[in-house]
Amino acid sequence: MKILGISLGTKNGNNDTMCRVALEEAQKLGAEIEFIHLLDWNIKYCTGCVACSRGLVMGKGMICTQKDDFKDLYEKIIDADGVLFVDPIYESGASGLYHVITDRMGPGHDTGMMLMTSEKMKAAGKEGLPEKYFRQKAVSFVAIGGSDWAVRTETDHAMFAMSPGWKVVNNEFFSWCKDVIMQDDKIERMKEIARNLVEAAQKIMDEHIMIPGSEDVDLWKGTDGACPHCHGNAFYIFPGTTHVVCELCGLEGRLEVIDGGFKFRNDESLGVNGTLAHAHDILSGKKMHGDDIFENEGRLMNLFKDEEFKRRKQHYTEVCAPTPSPSKDK
């Protein structure tokens, strides 16, 4: 078994240290370990060029126009059995670098779209995408902050696992932790998170769990959240109603107070969006999402031949030029 730890904090700072605490515990349990300090890697922003989704739609495979270290990072994650992210909290949510890698996962690494593409490639007489991309994976997240501004990290972090449909084991944040290395309860919790991750990874290995067919597999070891599916606690509330959307898995329903606490209830009167089939992290939901992307990408490609589309693009391009970068011109 291999456990990969990825830290996004300052070099040898709290995030690196706590990631290594967990990795040491995993190693004691017999796992091979690897550590990545992600700020050492060349990770560029997603430019929104849509080459990744277009490549999948057209059955060309996995494509990205950015030439950097992200593909190697993705392959490291794919080859690990369990992955732990430890991320600093700057302003309540995940760090900027973490958002960048989440953007880069995007539709280009969505398992539903990858499965459709793999079948297209086989139908064209090509070899499909490697089976390892469709193996289920155990993932855990820990955020470390120096104050109590932390609650948005849960949703931000779990989004990374949403596109591939990987199983989240723990998703936690530590507040008031400038001196976390001296907080024994946090040290012990990191060790417990490592043990949970190893146990979940072992189950996936023993049972050869693949993403297709694992909709009902639950590896969650954290506190139950308001959403009964993804354990998320962040919801968009439609103004003046009890109608909500889980900001993580996308289920729609109602928020109700049950036993003194908020709980999410599915509401099938909302149509398919109010059913479990709509969840973004399982294949039925991914198929709906993939079908929409395939349709929209096809429509956009056809628009480039449309004279009115070209006229409007030209008009607004000429309205004003972008201000050049002060540093790049030097």
Side-chain angles (χ1 to χ4, degrees):
M1 180 196 297
K2 183 171 185 178
I3 300 295
L4 173 64
I6 302 172
S7 169
L8 294 90
T10 54
K11 200 171 191 71
N12 295 324
N14 284 333
N15 297 272
D16 281 19
T17 298
M18 296 303 273
C19 189
R20 286 169 167 139
V21 167
L23 289 175
E24 181 184 51
E25 187 70 9
Q27 189 176 51
K28 289 177 181 177
L29 295 171
E32 176 188 347
I33 60 173
E34 183 173 3
F35 173 73
I36 290 176
H37 179 249
L38 199 57
L39 273 75
D40 291 340
W41 288 47
N42 176 27
I43 305 293
K44 297 179 180 178
Y45 293 106
C46 174
T47 65
C49 72
V50 304
C52 60
S53 56
R54 193 166 294 168
L56 294 178
V57 168
M58 299 175 70
K60 293 183 176 180
M62 300 170 73
I63 298 170
C64 182
T65 58
Q66 291 285 46
K67 305 305 177 188
D68 62 356
D69 293 335
F70 183 80
K71 184 178 188 302
D72 292 306
L73 175 66
Y74 178 68
E75 292 295 332
K76 287 279 189 187
I77 292 171
I78 286 295
D79 290 337
D81 301 294
V83 182
L84 170 67
F85 287 92
V86 186
D87 188 31
I89 307 168
Y90 299 135
E91 291 293 333
S92 186
S95 67
L97 178 55
Y98 190 88
H99 281 288
V100 169
I101 63 172
T102 300
D103 288 345
R104 293 288 296 276
M105 282 293 284
H109 302 85
D110 183 280
T111 302
M113 291 187 66
M114 288 166 63
L115 281 167
M116 288 188 280
T117 299
S118 193
E119 292 305 312
K120 277 193 170 187
M121 293 169 72
K122 291 176 183 176
K126 304 175 184 177
E127 188 174 349
L129 296 176
E131 187 181 68
K132 67 178 183 178
Y133 292 150
F134 306 112
R135 185 168 63 104
Q136 191 52 267
K137 193 172 303 296
V139 191
S140 288
F141 307 95
V142 175
I144 300 176
S147 73
D148 60 346
W149 291 9
V151 294
R152 210 176 70 240
T153 57
E154 286 184 344
T155 302
D156 285 357
H157 283 161
M159 284 303 299
F160 188 86
M162 192 63 55
S163 285
W166 294 332
K167 298 297 181 180
V168 178
V169 182
N170 283 106
N171 186 1
E172 303 194 18
F173 56 84
F174 296 162
S175 301
W176 302 113
C177 279
K178 286 288 186 180
D179 61 344
V180 67
I181 190 64
M182 300 305 294
Q183 297 186 32
D184 291 341
D185 61 327
K186 301 299 193 304
I187 295 287
E188 182 50 43
R189 183 61 183 142
M190 288 302 302
K191 293 179 180 179
E192 184 178 12
I193 288 170
R195 293 192 292 269
N196 291 341
L197 187 60
V198 168
E199 180 184 334
Q202 190 65 59
K203 178 179 175 65
I204 291 171
M205 292 172 65
D206 290 345
E207 299 180 17
H208 306 289
I209 300 175
M210 304 296 285
I211 295 171
S214 63
E215 288 82 357
D216 296 328
V217 173
D218 188 1
L219 302 179
W220 178 253
K221 293 289 187 180
T223 303
D224 287 342
C227 179
H229 175 64
C230 71
H231 303 285
N233 292 299
F235 296 87
Y236 177 80
I237 303 172
F238 288 87
T241 74
T242 60
H243 178 193
V244 298
V245 178
C246 177
E247 292 185 359
L248 183 54
C249 71
L251 288 187
E252 294 191 33
R254 308 286 173 182
L255 271 188
E256 299 178 346
V257 177
I258 300 174
D259 296 329
F262 280 113
K263 288 292 182 182
F264 173 91
R265 176 178 61 81
N266 282 23
D267 186 349
E268 296 189 8
S269 71
L270 298 171
V272 69
N273 288 9
T275 69
L276 180 60
H278 188 250
H280 298 337
D281 61 335
I282 60 177
L283 288 184
S284 56
K286 289 186 176 301
K287 185 179 186 306
M288 295 179 205
H289 184 59
D291 288 343
D292 288 342
I293 289 178
F294 272 55
E295 178 186 340
N296 279 290
E297 285 297 336
R299 188 164 63 245
L300 178 61
M301 285 188 283
N302 287 330
L303 269 178
F304 284 109
K305 306 170 188 175
D306 185 277
E307 292 303 319
E308 177 61 16
F309 175 81
K310 289 189 282 187
R311 186 193 68 78
R312 293 186 185 188
K313 289 289 286 187
Q314 181 67 26
H315 171 80
Y316 290 109
T317 300
E318 293 173 353
V319 168
C320 54
T323 301
S325 162
S327 63
K328 286 184 179 178
D329 288 347
K330 292 180 180 177

